Amino acid sequence: MVNGKPLVAKVEVPESAYRSTIPSVPDVVVVGAGIMGASISLELQRIGRSVLVVDRGGAVGAGSTSASSAVVRFNYSTLAGVTAAWESAHRWADWVGHLGHTSGADPLARFVTCPMLFFEPPGFPRAEATALLSAVGVPWEVLDETGLKQRFPAIDPGRYHPPRRPDDPRFDIGPFGRIDALLTPDSGFIDDPQLAAVNLMNAARHLGTEVRLRSEVVEVRRSGTNPDRTIGITLADGTQIDTTVVVNAAGPWSSGLNHLAGVFTGATDGVVANRPMRQEVHVVPAPEQFVLDGGGAMMSDLDLGYYARPQPGGTLLVGGVEPECDPLEWLDDPDATPANPTVECFEAQVWRLARRLPGLAIPHRPSGLAGVYDVTPDWVPIYDRTSLDGFYVAIGTSGNQFKNAPLVGQIMCEIIEACESGHDHDAQAVTTWCNRIDRPLDLAAFSRLRALTPTTGTVMG
Ligand SMILES: Cc1cc2nc3c(=O)[nH]c(=O)nc-3n(C[C@H](O)[C@H](O)[C@H](O)COP(=O)(O)OP(=O)(O)OC[C@H]3O[C@@H](n4cnc5c(N)ncnc54)[C@H](O)[C@@H]3O)c2cc1C
C-alpha cells in the first residue's frame, strides 16, 4: 500500500518491464531455499511470476533455518516488529490455509502454543512495550511474585541482574528483590522449522516454482549497457541464468552475496550492514514441573541473560540474549565455525537458567548445536531493494525473524512489484496490509536506509 491504498490492486506492472521475452528465463531468481526464500517464492509465484530458487546446499531449509529455535513471540521494541509477529502468528495458526496447497500426504509443521514470560532488566520501558502490544491487539498481563508462583511454581521469581559469567565470583549472589514477568499467553513455537520451509517450498513448487539444489551463486551479473541493473546470476558450474530480478535470501551468507553484487558498499545502501554471528542453543531435561503443557513456559530473561523454551519430550532449549558479559562471536565466514556446542557457552547459558529454575538438573556434557545469525546493528531485518536495480534483499534477520517468515514473502513481493513498476520505495516506502489482523505495516521500518532503530540491541529486537 502507498498512502493507505492497496498497492497490488493499484499498480499494473507492464509485462515488458518485468517478464523476459525468452520463456525459459525465470522472472525471478531467489538465492536461498531457507524459510525466507521459500516464503518469497510462494508469494511471487502466487501472483504469476515464474520463480527459480537456487541453493548451494542439498536440501530445502537446511541452512540456518534448520537450527532455529522457532520461537513465536510478540514483544519487539517497535510497532512494526509487534505487528509483523502478531500477523504471522495468525498465519502459522492457520498453516494449511496459509499454504493454500498441501498434497495431503506431506507432513506439516505445527504451531505449538506455549506462554511466553518476559523478565525485564532494570529500567526496561514496560509502559512503552505493553502500549505496543495493546495497540496491535496482543493479549498480555503482568505477573508479580505471587502470580508467578501460582502459575509457574517451578520458577524462582528473584531479581539477579546483571547477568554474569559462571567464572565470576559474584555469579551466585542474589536475589536482590523480586521480579515481575510480562506474560503473552498466545506465544508458541514451530515444532519443525525446516519442515515449515519445505511446506512453503512445496506450495510454491505446486504453482510452478523450480528449485535447483547444490547450485551456488558465484556471480551477480550486471547489464553491459546499464551497469546499474542486474541481468542474472552465474552458478559455480558456470551456468548463467538470465533474469531481471534476483532476491538475496541467503541468510548468514547474504553479506557475501551482497559483496558479489557490489551492493552495501557505501552510502547508497545506507549504514545498516549485516554480519554473521555464531550462536549456541543447548538442550537440557526440563524439571518435572516445567514441561510443555505441564507448568512450563518459554522465557526471555534479560535479568539473568538467556532464553528458554520447552520442547515436546520433556526437554528445554536454552539460548543466549547477548548479555554484556558474553563476548559476541562475529564470523568472517559462516562456514568456518565449529557446529558443536562449547562447554563455556553451555555453562553460561544453562547455569543462568538454573537460577530461574532451581529444579533443573544440569547434564555433565553439553548437548545442542551451534547455528549462525545474520545480524544488523539494530537487530532489525532488512527487507528492501538495493542500489543495483533488480537486486533485492531479505537479510539481516538477526536471530528473530523465523516467526515472521509467513509475512516476509508478501513484504518482498510487494516491494519487488512496486519497484519493478517504477515506484520509488526509498522515497516513499510501500505499506503492506496485514489481512489476518486488519492492520497496515509501513515497510520503511525494514529499509536499508533507515536510521538505526532504538531496540534492546539483542536478539529480542
Ligand atoms: C540458533 C538459531 C536460533 C534461532 N531462533 C529463532 C527463534 O526462536 N525465533 C525466530 O523468529 N527466529 C529465530 N532464528 C532466526 C531464524 O531462524 C532465521 O532468521 C531464519 O531461519 C533465516 O532464514 P533464511 O531463509 O534467511 O536463511 P537460511 O535458512 O540460512 O537460508 C539461506 C540459504 O541460502 C543458501 N545460500 C547461501 N549462499 C548461497 C549462494 N551463494 N548460492 C546459493 N545458495 C546460497 C544457503 O545454503 C541456505 O540454505 C534463529 C536462528 C538461529 C541460527
Side-chain angles (χ1 to χ4, degrees), residues 32 34-36 55-56 64-65 68-71 217 251-252 372-373 397 399-400 402-403:
I35 193 76
M36 294 305 174
D55 197 296
R56 68 208 276 271
S64 65
T65 295
S68 187
S69 302
V71 169
V217 175
V372 184
Y373 290 169
T397 52
N400 62 42
F402 175 87
K403 65 181 70 57

mmCIF file with all atom_site columns, all heavy atoms in Angstrom, residues 32 34-36 55-56 64-65 68-71 217 251-252 372-373 397 399-400 402-403, ligand 1:
data_model
loop_
_atom_site.group_PDB
_atom_site.id
_atom_site.type_symbol
_atom_site.label_atom_id
_atom_site.label_alt_id
_atom_site.label_comp_id
_atom_site.label_asym_id
_atom_site.label_entity_id
_atom_site.label_seq_id
_atom_site.pdbx_PDB_ins_code
_atom_site.Cartn_x
_atom_site.Cartn_y
_atom_site.Cartn_z
_atom_site.occupancy
_atom_site.B_iso_or_equiv
_atom_site.pdbx_formal_charge
_atom_site.auth_seq_id
_atom_site.auth_comp_id
_atom_site.auth_asym_id
_atom_site.auth_atom_id
_atom_site.pdbx_PDB_model_num
ATOM   1   N N   . GLY A 1 32  ? 18.674 -18.869 -2.196 1.00 0.00 ? 32  GLY A N   1
ATOM   2   C CA  . GLY A 1 32  ? 18.458 -19.350 -0.833 1.00 0.00 ? 32  GLY A CA  1
ATOM   3   C C   . GLY A 1 32  ? 17.119 -20.055 -0.700 1.00 0.00 ? 32  GLY A C   1
ATOM   4   O O   . GLY A 1 32  ? 16.072 -19.478 -0.982 1.00 0.00 ? 32  GLY A O   1
ATOM   5   N N   . GLY A 1 34  ? 15.961 -21.287 2.180  1.00 0.00 ? 34  GLY A N   1
ATOM   6   C CA  . GLY A 1 34  ? 15.590 -21.325 3.597  1.00 0.00 ? 34  GLY A CA  1
ATOM   7   C C   . GLY A 1 34  ? 14.145 -20.891 3.747  1.00 0.00 ? 34  GLY A C   1
ATOM   8   O O   . GLY A 1 34  ? 13.400 -20.771 2.769  1.00 0.00 ? 34  GLY A O   1
ATOM   9   N N   . ILE A 1 35  ? 13.756 -20.616 4.997  1.00 0.00 ? 35  ILE A N   1
ATOM   10  C CA  . ILE A 1 35  ? 12.359 -20.237 5.256  1.00 0.00 ? 35  ILE A CA  1
ATOM   11  C C   . ILE A 1 35  ? 12.010 -18.955 4.501  1.00 0.00 ? 35  ILE A C   1
ATOM   12  O O   . ILE A 1 35  ? 10.882 -18.802 4.017  1.00 0.00 ? 35  ILE A O   1
ATOM   13  C CB  . ILE A 1 35  ? 12.107 -20.105 6.781  1.00 0.00 ? 35  ILE A CB  1
ATOM   14  C CG1 . ILE A 1 35  ? 10.623 -20.030 7.097  1.00 0.00 ? 35  ILE A CG1 1
ATOM   15  C CG2 . ILE A 1 35  ? 12.825 -18.907 7.384  1.00 0.00 ? 35  ILE A CG2 1
ATOM   16  C CD1 . ILE A 1 35  ? 9.893  -21.305 7.024  1.00 0.00 ? 35  ILE A CD1 1
ATOM   17  N N   . MET A 1 36  ? 12.982 -18.034 4.370  1.00 0.00 ? 36  MET A N   1
ATOM   18  C CA  . MET A 1 36  ? 12.699 -16.766 3.694  1.00 0.00 ? 36  MET A CA  1
ATOM   19  C C   . MET A 1 36  ? 12.556 -16.972 2.187  1.00 0.00 ? 36  MET A C   1
ATOM   20  O O   . MET A 1 36  ? 11.591 -16.507 1.575  1.00 0.00 ? 36  MET A O   1
ATOM   21  C CB  . MET A 1 36  ? 13.801 -15.729 3.981  1.00 0.00 ? 36  MET A CB  1
ATOM   22  C CG  . MET A 1 36  ? 13.860 -15.303 5.421  1.00 0.00 ? 36  MET A CG  1
ATOM   23  S SD  . MET A 1 36  ? 12.259 -14.677 5.980  1.00 0.00 ? 36  MET A SD  1
ATOM   24  C CE  . MET A 1 36  ? 12.592 -14.435 7.710  1.00 0.00 ? 36  MET A CE  1
ATOM   25  N N   . ASP A 1 55  ? 20.021 -22.972 -4.506 1.00 0.00 ? 55  ASP A N   1
ATOM   26  C CA  . ASP A 1 55  ? 20.629 -23.089 -3.174 1.00 0.00 ? 55  ASP A CA  1
ATOM   27  C C   . ASP A 1 55  ? 21.877 -23.949 -3.272 1.00 0.00 ? 55  ASP A C   1
ATOM   28  O O   . ASP A 1 55  ? 21.889 -24.983 -3.945 1.00 0.00 ? 55  ASP A O   1
ATOM   29  C CB  . ASP A 1 55  ? 19.650 -23.699 -2.162 1.00 0.00 ? 55  ASP A CB  1
ATOM   30  C CG  . ASP A 1 55  ? 20.110 -23.443 -0.722 1.00 0.00 ? 55  ASP A CG  1
ATOM   31  O OD1 . ASP A 1 55  ? 21.190 -23.955 -0.325 1.00 0.00 ? 55  ASP A OD1 1
ATOM   32  O OD2 . ASP A 1 55  ? 19.392 -22.723 -0.001 1.00 0.00 ? 55  ASP A OD2 1
ATOM   33  N N   . ARG A 1 56  ? 22.932 -23.510 -2.598 1.00 0.00 ? 56  ARG A N   1
ATOM   34  C CA  . ARG A 1 56  ? 24.201 -24.242 -2.625 1.00 0.00 ? 56  ARG A CA  1
ATOM   35  C C   . ARG A 1 56  ? 24.110 -25.540 -1.827 1.00 0.00 ? 56  ARG A C   1
ATOM   36  O O   . ARG A 1 56  ? 24.902 -26.456 -2.026 1.00 0.00 ? 56  ARG A O   1
ATOM   37  C CB  . ARG A 1 56  ? 25.326 -23.371 -2.064 1.00 0.00 ? 56  ARG A CB  1
ATOM   38  C CG  . ARG A 1 56  ? 25.194 -23.096 -0.584 1.00 0.00 ? 56  ARG A CG  1
ATOM   39  C CD  . ARG A 1 56  ? 25.835 -21.783 -0.186 1.00 0.00 ? 56  ARG A CD  1
ATOM   40  N NE  . ARG A 1 56  ? 27.254 -21.895 0.040  1.00 0.00 ? 56  ARG A NE  1
ATOM   41  C CZ  . ARG A 1 56  ? 27.824 -22.202 1.216  1.00 0.00 ? 56  ARG A CZ  1
ATOM   42  N NH1 . ARG A 1 56  ? 27.056 -22.454 2.274  1.00 0.00 ? 56  ARG A NH1 1
ATOM   43  N NH2 . ARG A 1 56  ? 29.112 -22.252 1.346  1.00 0.00 ? 56  ARG A NH2 1
ATOM   44  N N   . SER A 1 64  ? 20.499 -21.945 8.055  1.00 0.00 ? 64  SER A N   1
ATOM   45  C CA  . SER A 1 64  ? 20.298 -21.531 9.452  1.00 0.00 ? 64  SER A CA  1
ATOM   46  C C   . SER A 1 64  ? 18.877 -21.816 9.919  1.00 0.00 ? 64  SER A C   1
ATOM   47  O O   . SER A 1 64  ? 18.641 -21.965 11.131 1.00 0.00 ? 64  SER A O   1
ATOM   48  C CB  . SER A 1 64  ? 20.663 -20.054 9.644  1.00 0.00 ? 64  SER A CB  1
ATOM   49  O OG  . SER A 1 64  ? 19.798 -19.209 8.927  1.00 0.00 ? 64  SER A OG  1
ATOM   50  N N   . THR A 1 65  ? 17.942 -21.923 9.000  1.00 0.00 ? 65  THR A N   1
ATOM   51  C CA  . THR A 1 65  ? 16.555 -22.255 9.372  1.00 0.00 ? 65  THR A CA  1
ATOM   52  C C   . THR A 1 65  ? 16.491 -23.543 10.182 1.00 0.00 ? 65  THR A C   1
ATOM   53  O O   . THR A 1 65  ? 15.722 -23.656 11.145 1.00 0.00 ? 65  THR A O   1
ATOM   54  C CB  . THR A 1 65  ? 15.693 -22.382 8.094  1.00 0.00 ? 65  THR A CB  1
ATOM   55  O OG1 . THR A 1 65  ? 15.622 -21.100 7.462  1.00 0.00 ? 65  THR A OG1 1
ATOM   56  C CG2 . THR A 1 65  ? 14.303 -22.892 8.401  1.00 0.00 ? 65  THR A CG2 1
ATOM   57  N N   . SER A 1 68  ? 17.013 -23.162 13.899 1.00 0.00 ? 68  SER A N   1
ATOM   58  C CA  . SER A 1 68  ? 16.198 -22.165 14.597 1.00 0.00 ? 68  SER A CA  1
ATOM   59  C C   . SER A 1 68  ? 15.474 -22.745 15.805 1.00 0.00 ? 68  SER A C   1
ATOM   60  O O   . SER A 1 68  ? 14.988 -23.874 15.773 1.00 0.00 ? 68  SER A O   1
ATOM   61  C CB  . SER A 1 68  ? 15.163 -21.587 13.622 1.00 0.00 ? 68  SER A CB  1
ATOM   62  O OG  . SER A 1 68  ? 14.466 -20.526 14.214 1.00 0.00 ? 68  SER A OG  1
ATOM   63  N N   . SER A 1 69  ? 15.377 -21.937 16.849 1.00 0.00 ? 69  SER A N   1
ATOM   64  C CA  . SER A 1 69  ? 14.546 -22.330 17.993 1.00 0.00 ? 69  SER A CA  1
ATOM   65  C C   . SER A 1 69  ? 13.073 -22.095 17.676 1.00 0.00 ? 69  SER A C   1
ATOM   66  O O   . SER A 1 69  ? 12.198 -22.563 18.407 1.00 0.00 ? 69  SER A O   1
ATOM   67  C CB  . SER A 1 69  ? 14.940 -21.543 19.246 1.00 0.00 ? 69  SER A CB  1
ATOM   68  O OG  . SER A 1 69  ? 16.298 -21.750 19.537 1.00 0.00 ? 69  SER A OG  1
ATOM   69  N N   . ALA A 1 70  ? 12.821 -21.342 16.593 1.00 0.00 ? 70  ALA A N   1
ATOM   70  C CA  . ALA A 1 70  ? 11.471 -21.176 16.030 1.00 0.00 ? 70  ALA A CA  1
ATOM   71  C C   . ALA A 1 70  ? 10.451 -20.661 17.038 1.00 0.00 ? 70  ALA A C   1
ATOM   72  O O   . ALA A 1 70  ? 9.274  -21.010 16.996 1.00 0.00 ? 70  ALA A O   1
ATOM   73  C CB  . ALA A 1 70  ? 11.008 -22.485 15.400 1.00 0.00 ? 70  ALA A CB  1
ATOM   74  N N   . VAL A 1 71  ? 10.920 -19.794 17.940 1.00 0.00 ? 71  VAL A N   1
ATOM   75  C CA  . VAL A 1 71  ? 10.028 -19.194 18.939 1.00 0.00 ? 71  VAL A CA  1
ATOM   76  C C   . VAL A 1 71  ? 9.153  -18.141 18.246 1.00 0.00 ? 71  VAL A C   1
ATOM   77  O O   . VAL A 1 71  ? 9.649  -17.321 17.478 1.00 0.00 ? 71  VAL A O   1
ATOM   78  C CB  . VAL A 1 71  ? 10.846 -18.542 20.072 1.00 0.00 ? 71  VAL A CB  1
ATOM   79  C CG1 . VAL A 1 71  ? 9.954  -17.678 20.968 1.00 0.00 ? 71  VAL A CG1 1
ATOM   80  C CG2 . VAL A 1 71  ? 11.566 -19.610 20.888 1.00 0.00 ? 71  VAL A CG2 1
ATOM   81  N N   . VAL A 1 217 ? 25.580 -19.680 -6.200 1.00 0.00 ? 217 VAL A N   1
ATOM   82  C CA  . VAL A 1 217 ? 25.719 -18.467 -6.999 1.00 0.00 ? 217 VAL A CA  1
ATOM   83  C C   . VAL A 1 217 ? 27.105 -17.884 -6.735 1.00 0.00 ? 217 VAL A C   1
ATOM   84  O O   . VAL A 1 217 ? 27.471 -17.643 -5.573 1.00 0.00 ? 217 VAL A O   1
ATOM   85  C CB  . VAL A 1 217 ? 24.628 -17.435 -6.628 1.00 0.00 ? 217 VAL A CB  1
ATOM   86  C CG1 . VAL A 1 217 ? 24.856 -16.117 -7.366 1.00 0.00 ? 217 VAL A CG1 1
ATOM   87  C CG2 . VAL A 1 217 ? 23.247 -17.997 -6.930 1.00 0.00 ? 217 VAL A CG2 1
ATOM   88  N N   . GLY A 1 251 ? 20.527 -15.813 3.914  1.00 0.00 ? 251 GLY A N   1
ATOM   89  C CA  . GLY A 1 251 ? 20.741 -15.968 5.359  1.00 0.00 ? 251 GLY A CA  1
ATOM   90  C C   . GLY A 1 251 ? 22.109 -15.471 5.788  1.00 0.00 ? 251 GLY A C   1
ATOM   91  O O   . GLY A 1 251 ? 22.546 -14.389 5.374  1.00 0.00 ? 251 GLY A O   1
ATOM   92  N N   . PRO A 1 252 ? 22.817 -16.241 6.610  1.00 0.00 ? 252 PRO A N   1
ATOM   93  C CA  . PRO A 1 252 ? 24.117 -15.790 7.111  1.00 0.00 ? 252 PRO A CA  1
ATOM   94  C C   . PRO A 1 252 ? 25.164 -15.591 6.009  1.00 0.00 ? 252 PRO A C   1
ATOM   95  O O   . PRO A 1 252 ? 26.195 -14.972 6.247  1.00 0.00 ? 252 PRO A O   1
ATOM   96  C CB  . PRO A 1 252 ? 24.553 -16.918 8.052  1.00 0.00 ? 252 PRO A CB  1
ATOM   97  C CG  . PRO A 1 252 ? 23.302 -17.646 8.394  1.00 0.00 ? 252 PRO A CG  1
ATOM   98  C CD  . PRO A 1 252 ? 22.386 -17.501 7.223  1.00 0.00 ? 252 PRO A CD  1
ATOM   99  N N   . VAL A 1 372 ? 24.120 -20.016 13.086 1.00 0.00 ? 372 VAL A N   1
ATOM   100 C CA  . VAL A 1 372 ? 24.662 -18.699 12.737 1.00 0.00 ? 372 VAL A CA  1
ATOM   101 C C   . VAL A 1 372 ? 23.505 -17.729 12.476 1.00 0.00 ? 372 VAL A C   1
ATOM   102 O O   . VAL A 1 372 ? 22.621 -18.015 11.673 1.00 0.00 ? 372 VAL A O   1
ATOM   103 C CB  . VAL A 1 372 ? 25.589 -18.777 11.498 1.00 0.00 ? 372 VAL A CB  1
ATOM   104 C CG1 . VAL A 1 372 ? 26.207 -17.405 11.218 1.00 0.00 ? 372 VAL A CG1 1
ATOM   105 C CG2 . VAL A 1 372 ? 26.687 -19.815 11.690 1.00 0.00 ? 372 VAL A CG2 1
ATOM   106 N N   . TYR A 1 373 ? 23.534 -16.597 13.199 1.00 0.00 ? 373 TYR A N   1
ATOM   107 C CA  . TYR A 1 373 ? 22.604 -15.499 12.930 1.00 0.00 ? 373 TYR A CA  1
ATOM   108 C C   . TYR A 1 373 ? 23.187 -14.621 11.819 1.00 0.00 ? 373 TYR A C   1
ATOM   109 O O   . TYR A 1 373 ? 24.395 -14.610 11.591 1.00 0.00 ? 373 TYR A O   1
ATOM   110 C CB  . TYR A 1 373 ? 22.456 -14.585 14.153 1.00 0.00 ? 373 TYR A CB  1
ATOM   111 C CG  . TYR A 1 373 ? 21.737 -15.098 15.365 1.00 0.00 ? 373 TYR A CG  1
ATOM   112 C CD1 . TYR A 1 373 ? 21.795 -14.360 16.552 1.00 0.00 ? 373 TYR A CD1 1
ATOM   113 C CD2 . TYR A 1 373 ? 20.992 -16.267 15.365 1.00 0.00 ? 373 TYR A CD2 1
ATOM   114 C CE1 . TYR A 1 373 ? 21.137 -14.773 17.703 1.00 0.00 ? 373 TYR A CE1 1
ATOM   115 C CE2 . TYR A 1 373 ? 20.329 -16.685 16.518 1.00 0.00 ? 373 TYR A CE2 1
ATOM   116 C CZ  . TYR A 1 373 ? 20.413 -15.940 17.685 1.00 0.00 ? 373 TYR A CZ  1
ATOM   117 O OH  . TYR A 1 373 ? 19.770 -16.346 18.822 1.00 0.00 ? 373 TYR A OH  1
ATOM   118 N N   . THR A 1 397 ? 18.359 -11.027 9.371  1.00 0.00 ? 397 THR A N   1
ATOM   119 C CA  . THR A 1 397 ? 17.202 -11.498 10.145 1.00 0.00 ? 397 THR A CA  1
ATOM   120 C C   . THR A 1 397 ? 17.510 -11.638 11.636 1.00 0.00 ? 397 THR A C   1
ATOM   121 O O   . THR A 1 397 ? 16.598 -11.899 12.429 1.00 0.00 ? 397 THR A O   1
ATOM   122 C CB  . THR A 1 397 ? 16.664 -12.824 9.572  1.00 0.00 ? 397 THR A CB  1
ATOM   123 O OG1 . THR A 1 397 ? 17.745 -13.751 9.471  1.00 0.00 ? 397 THR A OG1 1
ATOM   124 C CG2 . THR A 1 397 ? 16.052 -12.623 8.204  1.00 0.00 ? 397 THR A CG2 1
ATOM   125 N N   . GLY A 1 399 ? 18.455 -13.358 14.077 1.00 0.00 ? 399 GLY A N   1
ATOM   126 C CA  . GLY A 1 399 ? 18.052 -14.375 15.052 1.00 0.00 ? 399 GLY A CA  1
ATOM   127 C C   . GLY A 1 399 ? 16.624 -14.241 15.531 1.00 0.00 ? 399 GLY A C   1
ATOM   128 O O   . GLY A 1 399 ? 16.225 -14.917 16.479 1.00 0.00 ? 399 GLY A O   1
ATOM   129 N N   . ASN A 1 400 ? 15.820 -13.369 14.864 1.00 0.00 ? 400 ASN A N   1
ATOM   130 C CA  . ASN A 1 400 ? 14.457 -13.174 15.385 1.00 0.00 ? 400 ASN A CA  1
ATOM   131 C C   . ASN A 1 400 ? 13.380 -13.094 14.320 1.00 0.00 ? 400 ASN A C   1
ATOM   132 O O   . ASN A 1 400 ? 12.281 -12.604 14.599 1.00 0.00 ? 400 ASN A O   1
ATOM   133 C CB  . ASN A 1 400 ? 14.405 -11.927 16.288 1.00 0.00 ? 400 ASN A CB  1
ATOM   134 C CG  . ASN A 1 400 ? 14.763 -10.648 15.527 1.00 0.00 ? 400 ASN A CG  1
ATOM   135 O OD1 . ASN A 1 400 ? 14.340 -10.434 14.400 1.00 0.00 ? 400 ASN A OD1 1
ATOM   136 N ND2 . ASN A 1 400 ? 15.540 -9.782  16.153 1.00 0.00 ? 400 ASN A ND2 1
ATOM   137 N N   . PHE A 1 402 ? 12.463 -15.844 12.048 1.00 0.00 ? 402 PHE A N   1
ATOM   138 C CA  . PHE A 1 402 ? 11.790 -17.066 11.580 1.00 0.00 ? 402 PHE A CA  1
ATOM   139 C C   . PHE A 1 402 ? 10.280 -16.901 11.702 1.00 0.00 ? 402 PHE A C   1
ATOM   140 O O   . PHE A 1 402 ? 9.514  -17.209 10.796 1.00 0.00 ? 402 PHE A O   1
ATOM   141 C CB  . PHE A 1 402 ? 12.262 -18.285 12.387 1.00 0.00 ? 402 PHE A CB  1
ATOM   142 C CG  . PHE A 1 402 ? 11.513 -19.529 12.013 1.00 0.00 ? 402 PHE A CG  1
ATOM   143 C CD1 . PHE A 1 402 ? 11.943 -20.317 10.966 1.00 0.00 ? 402 PHE A CD1 1
ATOM   144 C CD2 . PHE A 1 402 ? 10.346 -19.888 12.676 1.00 0.00 ? 402 PHE A CD2 1
ATOM   145 C CE1 . PHE A 1 402 ? 11.220 -21.442 10.581 1.00 0.00 ? 402 PHE A CE1 1
ATOM   146 C CE2 . PHE A 1 402 ? 9.622  -21.012 12.302 1.00 0.00 ? 402 PHE A CE2 1
ATOM   147 C CZ  . PHE A 1 402 ? 10.067 -21.784 11.258 1.00 0.00 ? 402 PHE A CZ  1
ATOM   148 N N   . LYS A 1 403 ? 9.865  -16.379 12.857 1.00 0.00 ? 403 LYS A N   1
ATOM   149 C CA  . LYS A 1 403 ? 8.434  -16.257 13.140 1.00 0.00 ? 403 LYS A CA  1
ATOM   150 C C   . LYS A 1 403 ? 7.714  -15.419 12.107 1.00 0.00 ? 403 LYS A C   1
ATOM   151 O O   . LYS A 1 403 ? 6.524  -15.570 11.893 1.00 0.00 ? 403 LYS A O   1
ATOM   152 C CB  . LYS A 1 403 ? 8.225  -15.676 14.536 1.00 0.00 ? 403 LYS A CB  1
ATOM   153 C CG  . LYS A 1 403 ? 8.727  -14.249 14.673 1.00 0.00 ? 403 LYS A CG  1
ATOM   154 C CD  . LYS A 1 403 ? 8.553  -13.675 16.061 1.00 0.00 ? 403 LYS A CD  1
ATOM   155 C CE  . LYS A 1 403 ? 9.462  -14.283 17.084 1.00 0.00 ? 403 LYS A CE  1
ATOM   156 N NZ  . LYS A 1 403 ? 10.916 -14.193 16.761 1.00 0.00 ? 403 LYS A NZ  1
HETATM 157 C C1  . LIG B 2 .   ? 20.340 -20.851 16.546 1.00 0.00 ? 1   LIG B C1  1
HETATM 158 C C2  . LIG B 2 .   ? 19.241 -20.007 15.988 1.00 0.00 ? 1   LIG B C2  1
HETATM 159 C C3  . LIG B 2 .   ? 18.076 -19.834 16.722 1.00 0.00 ? 1   LIG B C3  1
HETATM 160 C C4  . LIG B 2 .   ? 17.054 -19.029 16.207 1.00 0.00 ? 1   LIG B C4  1
HETATM 161 N N1  . LIG B 2 .   ? 15.887 -18.904 16.904 1.00 0.00 ? 1   LIG B N1  1
HETATM 162 C C5  . LIG B 2 .   ? 14.868 -18.159 16.412 1.00 0.00 ? 1   LIG B C5  1
HETATM 163 C C6  . LIG B 2 .   ? 13.644 -18.070 17.093 1.00 0.00 ? 1   LIG B C6  1
HETATM 164 O O1  . LIG B 2 .   ? 13.473 -18.675 18.156 1.00 0.00 ? 1   LIG B O1  1
HETATM 165 N N2  . LIG B 2 .   ? 12.644 -17.325 16.553 1.00 0.00 ? 1   LIG B N2  1
HETATM 166 C C7  . LIG B 2 .   ? 12.810 -16.639 15.391 1.00 0.00 ? 1   LIG B C7  1
HETATM 167 O O2  . LIG B 2 .   ? 11.870 -15.954 14.965 1.00 0.00 ? 1   LIG B O2  1
HETATM 168 N N3  . LIG B 2 .   ? 13.975 -16.712 14.701 1.00 0.00 ? 1   LIG B N3  1
HETATM 169 C C8  . LIG B 2 .   ? 14.987 -17.459 15.178 1.00 0.00 ? 1   LIG B C8  1
HETATM 170 N N4  . LIG B 2 .   ? 16.166 -17.571 14.498 1.00 0.00 ? 1   LIG B N4  1
HETATM 171 C C9  . LIG B 2 .   ? 16.325 -16.820 13.253 1.00 0.00 ? 1   LIG B C9  1
HETATM 172 C C10 . LIG B 2 .   ? 15.731 -17.550 12.070 1.00 0.00 ? 1   LIG B C10 1
HETATM 173 O O3  . LIG B 2 .   ? 15.875 -18.930 12.221 1.00 0.00 ? 1   LIG B O3  1
HETATM 174 C C11 . LIG B 2 .   ? 16.421 -17.067 10.823 1.00 0.00 ? 1   LIG B C11 1
HETATM 175 O O4  . LIG B 2 .   ? 16.230 -15.664 10.751 1.00 0.00 ? 1   LIG B O4  1
HETATM 176 C C12 . LIG B 2 .   ? 15.840 -17.676 9.565  1.00 0.00 ? 1   LIG B C12 1
HETATM 177 O O5  . LIG B 2 .   ? 15.772 -19.077 9.663  1.00 0.00 ? 1   LIG B O5  1
HETATM 178 C C13 . LIG B 2 .   ? 16.716 -17.298 8.385  1.00 0.00 ? 1   LIG B C13 1
HETATM 179 O O6  . LIG B 2 .   ? 16.187 -17.920 7.247  1.00 0.00 ? 1   LIG B O6  1
HETATM 180 P P1  . LIG B 2 .   ? 16.828 -17.628 5.836  1.00 0.00 ? 1   LIG B P1  1
HETATM 181 O O7  . LIG B 2 .   ? 15.975 -18.317 4.844  1.00 0.00 ? 1   LIG B O7  1
HETATM 182 O O8  . LIG B 2 .   ? 17.037 -16.162 5.683  1.00 0.00 ? 1   LIG B O8  1
HETATM 183 O O9  . LIG B 2 .   ? 18.297 -18.233 5.910  1.00 0.00 ? 1   LIG B O9  1
HETATM 184 P P2  . LIG B 2 .   ? 18.813 -19.752 5.763  1.00 0.00 ? 1   LIG B P2  1
HETATM 185 O O10 . LIG B 2 .   ? 17.855 -20.717 6.339  1.00 0.00 ? 1   LIG B O10 1
HETATM 186 O O11 . LIG B 2 .   ? 20.191 -19.772 6.282  1.00 0.00 ? 1   LIG B O11 1
HETATM 187 O O12 . LIG B 2 .   ? 18.801 -19.981 4.212  1.00 0.00 ? 1   LIG B O12 1
HETATM 188 C C14 . LIG B 2 .   ? 19.756 -19.375 3.379  1.00 0.00 ? 1   LIG B C14 1
HETATM 189 C C15 . LIG B 2 .   ? 20.076 -20.353 2.291  1.00 0.00 ? 1   LIG B C15 1
HETATM 190 O O13 . LIG B 2 .   ? 20.872 -19.678 1.316  1.00 0.00 ? 1   LIG B O13 1
HETATM 191 C C16 . LIG B 2 .   ? 21.756 -20.634 0.763  1.00 0.00 ? 1   LIG B C16 1
HETATM 192 N N5  . LIG B 2 .   ? 22.864 -19.886 0.167  1.00 0.00 ? 1   LIG B N5  1
HETATM 193 C C17 . LIG B 2 .   ? 23.728 -19.059 0.792  1.00 0.00 ? 1   LIG B C17 1
HETATM 194 N N6  . LIG B 2 .   ? 24.595 -18.519 -0.089 1.00 0.00 ? 1   LIG B N6  1
HETATM 195 C C18 . LIG B 2 .   ? 24.283 -19.027 -1.303 1.00 0.00 ? 1   LIG B C18 1
HETATM 196 C C19 . LIG B 2 .   ? 24.808 -18.855 -2.600 1.00 0.00 ? 1   LIG B C19 1
HETATM 197 N N7  . LIG B 2 .   ? 25.861 -18.043 -2.855 1.00 0.00 ? 1   LIG B N7  1
HETATM 198 N N8  . LIG B 2 .   ? 24.249 -19.552 -3.621 1.00 0.00 ? 1   LIG B N8  1
HETATM 199 C C20 . LIG B 2 .   ? 23.200 -20.375 -3.403 1.00 0.00 ? 1   LIG B C20 1
HETATM 200 N N9  . LIG B 2 .   ? 22.658 -20.566 -2.178 1.00 0.00 ? 1   LIG B N9  1
HETATM 201 C C21 . LIG B 2 .   ? 23.180 -19.893 -1.148 1.00 0.00 ? 1   LIG B C21 1
HETATM 202 C C22 . LIG B 2 .   ? 22.168 -21.483 1.957  1.00 0.00 ? 1   LIG B C22 1
HETATM 203 O O14 . LIG B 2 .   ? 22.626 -22.751 1.539  1.00 0.00 ? 1   LIG B O14 1
HETATM 204 C C23 . LIG B 2 .   ? 20.870 -21.553 2.760  1.00 0.00 ? 1   LIG B C23 1
HETATM 205 O O15 . LIG B 2 .   ? 20.138 -22.730 2.504  1.00 0.00 ? 1   LIG B O15 1
HETATM 206 C C24 . LIG B 2 .   ? 17.205 -18.378 14.953 1.00 0.00 ? 1   LIG B C24 1
HETATM 207 C C25 . LIG B 2 .   ? 18.372 -18.577 14.215 1.00 0.00 ? 1   LIG B C25 1
HETATM 208 C C26 . LIG B 2 .   ? 19.379 -19.385 14.712 1.00 0.00 ? 1   LIG B C26 1
HETATM 209 C C27 . LIG B 2 .   ? 20.627 -19.591 13.914 1.00 0.00 ? 1   LIG B C27 1
#
